[in-house]
């Protein structure tokens, strides 16, 4: 009987993990993928119809033209004038009928404090610099020796597909995407010998959006399974520091709450995979049909699962795990959560053809040997 860590090591040591699946597992996977492709279209279309109804209802409200980004810009403006972040944030959320409880509905102050130091232009420069860094590192990491130009075009194009938001003038108030730029760079920059730059980037991501802690938790699980104890200890120390910061954040939010403040309805959306695909389509930068983007969203996730090596397994844990969290917990108006998976998510499309070919080859093989997988 093999330990989980041995299976993880085996997965991380091969670029074609799906080839080693048992034949019946590969056949079942292909059938499920086909059914998912058929199901995804009406599922995503249903959420699109629901979103149109929701937007129509919002357009009739008193504050229809004052959305989340407007709220954050108003908060930033007050902080830039010297006002306390927590006083400004809760006052603005109260003014525009946003909930102030529990404390997680109030964004971490990192972007607002940064705006006070170097303005919206500063955050935009940082976002563009992070996008360019992602572009350089990702294209170098997956450069094909036989087809260097083609790999550059494919990986660069897919990163641009998910990373074009970096050039959005208001990117400095898009917390999820700013955090996602750090996470994506952390994911691709990791090497077993030099993991601390990835950790520093992950800490920056958590300082902007607390949901990035799920990426670090996935990393802890992977490091523990591979018995990389020094790395695991550093990650746990980072999470402890993050927990301390969240406790301080909660203290200041609670101190600024007033009787009668609105309370969030919670996060029990249970909207399923269809909502995840709709959310990805909602942030998709090009006017492709919804069914096409839904298929691409599924294909990208399949590509990550089939990628193999450490980056493929970590990418699958992070993107698949966070996608599952969106499907379970996100409300209909939380579609923007998926921005934290960008720009890395769409890179999975580059790996999707090989993943499907590997599944097809595994399904055609008359037998399977677990030892073959462990040797790869």
């Amino acid at each position: 009987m093999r330990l989980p860590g041995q299976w993880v090591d085996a997965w991380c040591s091969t670029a074609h993990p799906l080839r080693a699946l048992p034949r019946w597992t590969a056949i079942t996977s292909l059938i499920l993928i086909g059914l998912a492709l058929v199901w995804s279209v009406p599922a995503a279309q249903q959420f699109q119809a629901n979103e149109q109804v929701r937007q129509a209802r919002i357009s009739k409200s008193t504050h229809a033209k004052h959305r989340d980004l407007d709220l954050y810009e108003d908060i930033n403006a007050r902080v830039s004038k010297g006002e306390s972040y927590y006083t400004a944030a809760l006052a603005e959320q109260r003014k525009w009928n946003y909930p102030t409880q529990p404390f997680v509905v109030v964004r971490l102050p990192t972007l607002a404090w940064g705006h006070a130091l170097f303005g919206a232009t500063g955050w935009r420069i940082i976002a563009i610099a992070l996008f360019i860094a992602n572009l350089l590192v990702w294209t170098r990491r997956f450069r094909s020796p036989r087809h260097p130009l083609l790999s550059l075009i494919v990986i660069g194009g897919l990163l641009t597909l998910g990373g074009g938001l970096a050039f959005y003038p208001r990117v400095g108030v898009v917390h999820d995407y700013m955090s996602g730029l750090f996470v994506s760079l952390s994911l691709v920059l990791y090497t077993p010998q030099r993991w601390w730059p990835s950790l520093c980037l992950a800490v920056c991501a958590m300082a902007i959006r607390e949901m990035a802690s799920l990426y670090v938790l996935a990393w802890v699980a992977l490091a523990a399974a591979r018995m990389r104890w020094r790395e695991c200890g550093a990650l746990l120390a980072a999470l402890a520091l993050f927990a301390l910061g969240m406790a301080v954040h909660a203290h200041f939010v609670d101190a600024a709450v007033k009787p009668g403040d609105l309370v969030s309805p919670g996060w029990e959306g249970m909207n399923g995979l269809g909502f995840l695909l709709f959310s990805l389509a909602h942030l998709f930068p090009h006017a492709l049909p919804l069914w096409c983007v839904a298929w691409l969203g599924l294909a990208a996730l399949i590509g990550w699962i089939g990628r193999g090596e450490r980056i493929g397994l970590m990418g699958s844990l992070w993107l698949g795990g966070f996608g599952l969290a969106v499907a379970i917990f996100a409300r209909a108006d939380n579609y923007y959560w998926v921005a934290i998976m960008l720009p890395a998510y769409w890179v999975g499309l580059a790996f999707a053809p090989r993943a499907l070919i590997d599944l097809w080859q595994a399904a055609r093989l008359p037998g399977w040997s677990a030892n073959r997988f462990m040797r790869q």
Side-chain angles (χ1 to χ4, degrees):
M1 182 176 180
R2 299 188 181 275
L3 298 174
Q6 292 176 303
W7 286 101
V8 170
D9 286 337
W11 191 286
C12 292
S13 65
T14 177
H16 299 274
L18 297 183
R19 282 186 188 175
L21 289 176
R23 186 166 183 258
W24 63 269
T25 303
I27 293 172
T28 303
S29 298
L30 288 170
I31 293 172
L32 290 175
I33 289 171
L35 292 174
L37 290 173
V38 174
W39 162 86
S40 65
V41 177
Q45 287 174 339
Q46 180 60 51
F47 283 106
Q48 184 182 48
N50 294 343
E51 177 64 14
Q52 290 171 347
V53 173
R54 191 179 73 87
Q55 291 296 333
R57 186 172 63 251
I58 292 174
S59 66
K60 298 177 183 178
S61 66
T62 307
H63 306 301
K65 295 183 179 180
H66 202 277
R67 303 296 180 90
D68 290 5
L69 300 189
D70 301 313
L71 171 71
Y72 302 141
E73 287 181 336
D74 291 346
I75 294 171
N76 288 354
R78 293 177 65 158
V79 173
S80 296
K81 293 177 182 178
E83 193 171 354
S84 163
Y85 171 77
Y86 292 96
T87 301
L90 272 77
E92 287 296 326
Q93 293 189 203
R94 197 175 293 122
K95 173 182 176 182
W96 296 105
N97 295 321
Y98 282 81
T100 62
Q101 302 174 74
F103 72 94
V104 290
V105 301
V106 179
R107 292 287 182 266
L108 292 169
T110 309
L111 292 188
W113 288 345
H115 183 276
L117 289 174
F118 42 74
T121 302
W123 276 123
R124 191 178 181 191
I125 291 172
I126 291 172
I128 293 173
L130 284 169
F131 171 70
I132 293 173
N134 269 285
L135 196 63
L136 293 174
V137 179
W138 280 93
T139 51
R140 180 180 179 183
R141 172 69 175 77
F142 294 107
R143 181 179 179 272
S144 170
R146 290 191 298 176
H147 306 287
L149 181 59
L150 179 61
S151 61
L152 176 66
I153 293 172
V154 171
I155 299 297
L158 292 173
L159 279 169
T160 304
L161 196 67
L165 192 59
F167 299 91
Y168 179 48
R170 306 171 81 184
V171 68
V173 289
V174 186
H175 298 75
D176 301 85
Y177 179 71
M178 288 297 301
S179 181
L181 284 169
F182 283 101
V183 172
S184 295
L185 189 56
S186 171
L187 175 63
V188 72
L189 204 59
Y190 174 92
T191 63
Q193 299 78 23
R194 191 179 176 85
W195 47 264
W196 62 265
S198 290
L199 178 56
C200 292
L201 290 166
V203 170
C204 291
M206 291 192 293
I208 294 173
R209 193 71 163 104
E210 67 281 353
M211 289 191 293
S213 60
L214 297 177
Y215 167 76
V216 181
L217 287 170
W219 187 353
V220 168
L222 188 56
R226 305 189 74 184
M227 293 185 289
R228 296 180 59 85
W229 302 123
R230 184 179 177 185
E231 184 177 320
C232 194
L235 291 165
L236 291 173
L239 285 172
L241 181 64
F242 164 75
L244 178 62
M246 289 301 294
V248 173
H249 177 66
H251 168 75
F252 283 108
V253 171
D254 292 342
V257 169
K258 293 182 179 180
D261 279 1
L262 296 178
V263 179
S264 170
W267 297 273
E268 299 174 356
M270 298 298 292
N271 285 312
L273 180 60
F275 179 70
L276 171 65
L277 297 176
F278 163 74
S279 300
L280 289 166
H282 197 77
L283 296 182
F284 200 78
H286 300 290
L288 292 177
L290 179 62
W291 64 266
C292 183
V293 182
W295 283 9
L296 292 176
L298 277 174
L301 186 57
I302 294 166
W304 273 111
I305 294 171
R307 176 60 185 84
E309 300 181 337
R310 192 268 179 189
I311 191 170
L313 183 54
M314 184 61 197
S316 300
L317 288 173
W318 158 237
L319 299 169
F322 190 82
L324 181 62
V326 171
I328 295 174
F329 299 109
R331 300 190 308 267
D333 56 346
N334 295 142
Y335 61 86
Y336 55 84
W337 285 8
V338 300
I340 202 171
M341 299 194 294
L342 303 177
Y345 187 87
W346 292 114
V347 177
L349 284 174
F351 315 137
R354 185 175 68 175
L356 293 173
I357 291 172
D358 288 347
L359 276 175
W360 178 254
Q361 289 181 343
R364 292 180 61 195
L365 292 176
W368 175 75
S369 169
N371 292 328
R372 179 166 57 89
F373 174 63
M374 299 306 295
R375 288 196 303 267
Q376 284 182 334

